[in-house]
C-alpha cells in the first residue's frame, strides 16, 4: 500500500488496498498509519454494508450507538442521510465534535463510506487535536493538563432537542433523558496507541470544566473551540463516489458542512469501541 499525506498536519490517502480484504501485517500497517495521520482516505472502494461491518470488526468491536437508529439489517451501521429537498435544514454532524465523547469509553475510530454524494458541497472537515495542543505555549499546556472536562450530550440529544432531529426525514434520532448524563475526561490525554499528547476537547459535548465557575468555563471552552478549529490544523475532505474515510476520534474533531441543498447525500457510518481516556 502507498501512504501519501494530504496536508502538512493531518490526513493521508492510502492507495493500493481493498478494505474488504485487509488482514494480517497489511492491517497492522494500515492501523498504524491511521493513528499516525489521524484521518485516512481510501478511494474507489464502493464497499457494501456487509463488507463495511467486516472491515470495521477487524479494527475492533462495534461502539455503542446511542440516540441514532441504526440500519435494521446492519445494527452497527448508521445511515447518515439528507434528502435533496431537505434544503438547508439541520444536518447530522454539522457542529464540530468528536464522536460520542460523552460516553465513559468514547469510540476509537469512525469509518464513513460514501454511498450517494453531491456533485459539490457536503465536505467533511477534520482538525488535529494533537497539532492544536502542541501549538499552545508551554504554560497553557501545563494549565490544561490539570483540568477535567465535563462531557454531556444534553445540548445535542436531550428531549428539548427532539424537534430539531425530527425535522430530518432520512434519519431517526430518538432523544432521551440519558443525554443529561455527564462523564468527566482529562482535558489533555495520552493517545493509547501513539503515546502522543492530545487535547481531548470538543464544544458540542464539553459543556463545563470541573472546578470552574460557569463564566470561567464558557470563556475557556470558547477559546479552545476557536483555537482548535483554526484552519491551520485542518483537512477538508471533498467526497467522491466510492470513498471511505476513517478517522481517530481520540485525536481529531470533525464537522459535516451543510452547503448542498438540492442534492442528496448518503454515507454509512460505523464506530469502533474505544477505552477510557487517560490523562497525559
Ligand atoms: C458525523 O459526524 O459522523 C458525520 C460526518 C459527515 O456526515 O460528514
Amino acid at each position: 500500500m502507498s501512504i501519501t499525506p494530504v496536508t502538512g498536519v493531518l490526513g493521508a490517502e492510502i492507495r493500493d488496498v481493498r478494505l474488504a480484504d485487509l488482514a494480517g501485517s497489511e492491517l497492522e500497517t494500515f492501523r498504524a498509519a491511521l493513528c499516525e495521520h489521524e484521518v485516512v482516505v481510501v478511494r474507489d472502494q464502493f464497499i457494501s454494508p456487509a463488507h463495511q461491518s467486516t472491515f470495521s470488526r477487524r479494527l475492533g468491536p462495534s461502539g455503542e450507538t446511542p440516540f441514532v437508529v441504526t440500519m435494521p439489517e446492519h445494527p452497527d451501521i448508521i445511515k447518515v442521510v439528507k434528502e435533496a429537498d431537505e434544503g438547508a435544514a439541520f444536518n447530522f454532524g454539522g457542529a464540530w465534535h468528536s464522536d460520542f465523547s460523552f460516553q465513559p469509553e468514547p469510540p476509537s475510530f469512525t469509518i464513513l463510506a460514501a454511498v450517494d454524494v453531491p456533485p459539490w458541497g457536503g465536505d467533511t472537515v477534520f482538525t488535529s487535536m494533537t497539532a492544536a495542543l502542541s501549538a499552545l505555549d508551554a504554560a497553557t499546556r501545563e494549565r490544561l493538563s490539570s483540568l477535567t472536562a465535563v462531557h454531556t450530550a444534553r445540548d445535542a440529544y436531550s428531549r428539548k432537542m427532539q424537534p430539531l432531529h425530527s425535522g430530518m426525514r432520512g434519519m431517526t434520532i430518538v432523544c432521551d433523558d440519558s443525554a443529561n448524563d455527564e462523564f468527566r475526561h482529562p482535558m489533555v490525554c495520552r493517545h493509547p496507541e501513539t503515546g502522543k499528547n492530545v487535547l481531548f476537547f470538543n464544544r458540542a459535548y464539553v459543556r463545563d470544566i470541573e472546578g470552574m465557575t460557569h463564566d470561567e468555563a464558557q470563556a475557556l471552552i470558547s477559546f479552545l473551540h476557536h483555537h482548535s478549529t483554526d484552519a491551520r490544523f485542518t483537512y477538508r475532505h471533498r467526497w467522491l463516489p466510492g470513498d471511505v474515510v476513517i478517522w481517530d476520534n481520540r485525536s481529531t474533531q470533525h464537522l459535516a458542512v451543510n452547503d448542498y441543498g438540492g442534492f442528496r447525500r448518503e454515507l454509512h457510518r460505523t464506530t469502533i469501541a474505544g477505552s477510557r481516556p487517560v490523562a497525559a
Side-chain angles (χ1 to χ4, degrees):
M1 80 181 72
S2 77
I3 302 167
T4 311
V6 290
T7 76
V9 178
L10 84 166
E13 186 166 332
I14 302 191
R15 295 196 191 91
D16 306 318
V17 284
R18 296 297 316 157
L19 290 179
D21 305 330
L22 209 53
S25 63
E26 220 187 13
L27 180 63
E28 279 170 34
T29 305
F30 185 92
R31 186 183 183 107
L34 170 56
C35 290
E36 182 61 30
H37 295 281
E38 305 180 339
V39 180
V40 299
V41 175
V42 194
R43 305 275 189 192
D44 299 320
Q45 297 297 301
F46 299 96
I47 199 168
S48 68
H51 278 142
Q52 181 168 352
S53 292
T54 305
F55 166 67
S56 299
R57 290 299 70 73
R58 294 202 184 117
L59 289 177
S62 180
E64 268 181 50
T65 306
F67 310 118
V68 188
V69 175
T70 55
M71 291 170 78
E73 59 287 17
H74 298 284
D76 57 332
I77 301 184
I78 292 177
K79 213 189 239 195
V80 177
V81 60
K82 188 149 87 74
E83 301 297 342
D85 60 359
E86 286 188 66
F90 174 81
N91 70 323
F92 182 76
W96 281 105
H97 66 285
S98 164
D99 289 333
F100 302 150
S101 74
F102 51 81
Q103 293 179 322
E105 297 185 343
S108 49
F109 306 115
T110 299
I111 296 110
L112 196 60
V115 176
D116 190 7
V117 291
W120 53 80
D123 297 353
T124 308
V125 193
F126 298 90
T127 193
S128 168
M129 300 305 279
T130 318
L133 179 69
S134 46
L136 293 167
D137 62 72
T140 307
R141 288 201 305 269
E142 183 73 25
R143 175 166 168 251
L144 292 174
S145 298
S146 66
L147 298 178
T148 299
V150 180
H151 294 243
T152 172
R154 72 170 169 249
D155 293 318
Y157 295 115
S158 63
R159 289 183 195 277
K160 68 178 183 206
M161 304 307 289
Q162 188 64 62
L164 193 62
H165 297 295
S166 298
M168 289 189 298
R169 287 211 322 279
M171 297 182 71
T172 305
I173 296 190
V174 182
C175 295
D176 68 48
D177 290 336
S178 69
N180 296 315
D181 292 349
E182 294 181 341
F183 286 99
R184 287 160 167 70
H185 298 308
M187 186 70 92
V188 179
C189 294
R190 167 128 329 142
H191 190 287
E193 299 191 54
T194 63
K196 290 180 188 169
N197 290 352
V198 297
L199 181 57
F200 191 59
F201 167 84
N202 67 90
R203 189 174 64 175
Y205 302 135
V206 173
R207 306 306 291 161
D208 241 316
I209 297 171
E210 209 171 68
M212 286 192 178
T213 65
H214 176 80
D215 288 354
E216 283 168 347
Q218 295 318 306
L220 184 55
I221 287 170
S222 177
F223 164 75
L224 291 175
H225 171 71
H226 289 105
H227 168 74
S228 63
T229 58
D230 189 277
R232 76 197 134 131
F233 309 127
T234 64
Y235 161 63
R236 181 168 177 143
H237 182 70
R238 179 166 183 211
W239 290 94
L240 293 176
D243 283 358
V244 177
V245 175
I246 307 164
W247 61 87
D248 191 330
N249 286 295
R250 301 162 297 186
S251 55
T252 59
Q253 293 186 64
H254 60 280
L255 157 92
V257 180
N258 190 14
D259 61 351
Y260 53 99
F263 297 107
R264 186 172 193 278
R265 180 178 186 269
E266 176 177 339
L267 302 103
H268 290 174
R269 185 181 112 160
T270 43
T271 48
I272 309 302
S275 51
R276 187 173 283 273
V278 172

